[in-house]
Amino acid sequence: MELTLVVLIIIVGLTFDFTNGFHDAANAIATSISTRALTPRAALTMAAVMNFCGAFLGTEVAQTVGSGIIAAPEDDSGLLLVMCALIGAIGWNVFTWWRGLPTSSSHALIGGLVGAALAASATVHWSGIVDKVVLPMLLSPLVGVALGYALHVSILWLFRHAPPRRTMRRFRMAQTVSAAAMGLGHGLQDAQKTMGVIVLALVTAGWQDDFSVPVWVIAAVAAAMAAGTYSGGRRIITTLGRRIVHLDPPRGFAAETAAAAVLYTTAFLVKAPISTTQTITAAILGAGATRRASAVRWQVARTIVTAWVLTFFGAGVPAAAIYLVLQAVTGL
């Protein structure tokens, strides 16, 4: 039973990572596609490659997810808990992708872990959730908005006398770099969350003693995310790239650069699992607001924020329900 559950968790975990890829592909490339800096296929290919590479840049966030959200559960019922958390997160990812809502796969995973842990009466590290999840969740969008706004204001001032056509052409070229930086940051942040859950399962099963991430886990997760990203999430790409605010190349560059800066800072310095979706969405809002506040479609933004708030419950409640049903069926 233990071997079966671990194998299932790895398979379900990689499935979640695949859904994370196609759900969050828009994070890296929506702005570049909407400004026509890159074609959709070229953008998806580049994002997939950068996601794969980014997954190898660090494991600090993975260790936070593996050990800082819930206490490592024991025996087969603990493995069942981890699997149900992943299933709850996958369900929320698929639902919000279908609705075209750019919600956080990271928070869906954390919500699934907490929901299943509460159903199993396992220990939840509430202080760790506040420090490493809630506070970064609140602060990273605010920083993204401020940075996106400030960067685009700086661009407007620096290039105020430059020929518009040449400036637009140069920023389309620059967006290739900023989109690549976003893709790398997405791989760095989001791939580590799945690594952390797989390692949590390995520790629960007693297959390893600490929360260090084996190379084979990094490689498998990186490949699954890259494959998901390449498959694309066009519904969410449309929402991020066109429905929130109309972007031109300078605004797209400012938004991507600001979001990438936040992703790298939180991964390497804070070691917090922040949402790439929330960060890039906030940066887009900040860059778009430099035109005028009415240029932002605030109704769409409000719908997205509502979905953000519901993410923990949308993944956590199904995860808890699935755990209780499977526990009753299997007797674990």
Side-chain angles (χ1 to χ4, degrees):
M1 176 65 75
E2 180 182 274
L3 175 63
T4 301
L5 284 172
V6 172
V7 171
L8 281 174
I9 287 170
I10 293 172
I11 293 172
V12 175
L14 295 178
T15 302
F16 167 78
D17 211 45
F18 182 87
T19 67
N20 189 331
F22 77 69
H23 186 278
D24 291 1
N27 294 344
I29 61 174
T31 55
S32 297
I33 292 175
S34 68
T35 62
R36 299 182 182 177
L38 293 168
T39 64
R41 187 50 56 192
L44 286 168
T45 301
M46 183 186 70
V49 172
M50 299 309 288
N51 275 186
F52 184 86
C53 295
F56 288 87
L57 293 182
T59 59
E60 291 85 357
V61 174
Q63 293 177 26
T64 296
V65 172
S67 61
I69 306 302
I70 64 172
E74 298 178 355
D75 57 49
D76 291 349
S77 63
L79 294 173
L80 185 66
L81 181 162
V82 176
M83 186 174 68
C84 292
L86 287 166
I87 294 172
I90 290 171
W92 183 252
N93 268 359
V94 172
F95 172 74
T96 51
W97 165 82
W98 175 62
R99 300 292 298 175
L101 294 171
T103 56
S104 170
S105 297
S106 308
H107 294 156
L109 180 57
I110 293 168
L113 282 171
V114 172
L118 291 175
S121 299
T123 301
V124 178
H125 296 313
W126 293 110
S127 61
I129 291 174
V130 171
D131 293 341
K132 296 294 187 180
V133 179
V134 176
L135 289 179
M137 179 186 74
L138 296 174
L139 292 176
S140 58
L142 296 176
V143 174
V145 168
L147 270 183
Y149 185 89
L151 275 175
H152 191 248
V153 168
S154 300
I155 288 170
L156 289 174
W157 187 82
L158 289 171
F159 292 89
R160 64 192 183 281
H161 299 309
R165 182 173 297 180
R166 183 184 301 175
T167 300
M168 291 296 176
R169 184 170 64 250
R170 288 176 176 175
F171 273 103
R172 281 195 178 93
M173 296 170 62
Q175 270 200 274
T176 303
V177 178
S178 60
M182 265 300 299
L184 197 70
H186 179 234
L188 169 66
Q189 267 283 349
D190 280 35
Q192 290 194 58
K193 289 126 188 183
T194 306
M195 295 179 203
V197 173
I198 292 176
V199 169
L200 176 61
L202 297 177
V203 171
T204 300
W207 292 13
Q208 67 179 60
D209 298 326
D210 57 19
F211 286 89
S212 59
V213 185
V215 175
W216 69 266
V217 173
I218 298 174
V221 168
M225 174 168 282
T229 298
Y230 186 74
S231 70
R234 293 181 185 274
R235 291 174 184 264
I236 299 174
I237 288 172
T238 300
T239 299
L240 275 181
R242 296 192 179 98
R243 289 183 60 201
I244 297 175
V245 64
H246 174 73
L247 293 172
D248 55 20
R251 285 184 174 84
F253 174 81
E256 289 170 341
T257 303
V262 175
L263 293 179
Y264 295 136
T265 301
T266 51
F268 290 123
L269 298 181
V270 186
K271 302 176 184 178
I274 69 162
S275 167
T276 56
T277 306
Q278 291 181 3
T279 304
I280 185 60
T281 304
I284 289 172
L285 288 171
T290 57
R291 179 182 287 120
R292 62 184 185 279
S294 61
V296 177
R297 297 184 178 93
W298 294 108
Q299 181 57 48
V300 176
R302 280 193 293 271
T303 302
I304 292 171
V305 171
T306 301
W308 290 355
V309 174
L310 293 176
T311 293
F312 287 107
F313 303 98
V317 172
I322 293 169
Y323 175 83
L324 293 174
V325 171
L326 291 181
Q327 184 190 45
V329 171
T330 60
L332 292 177

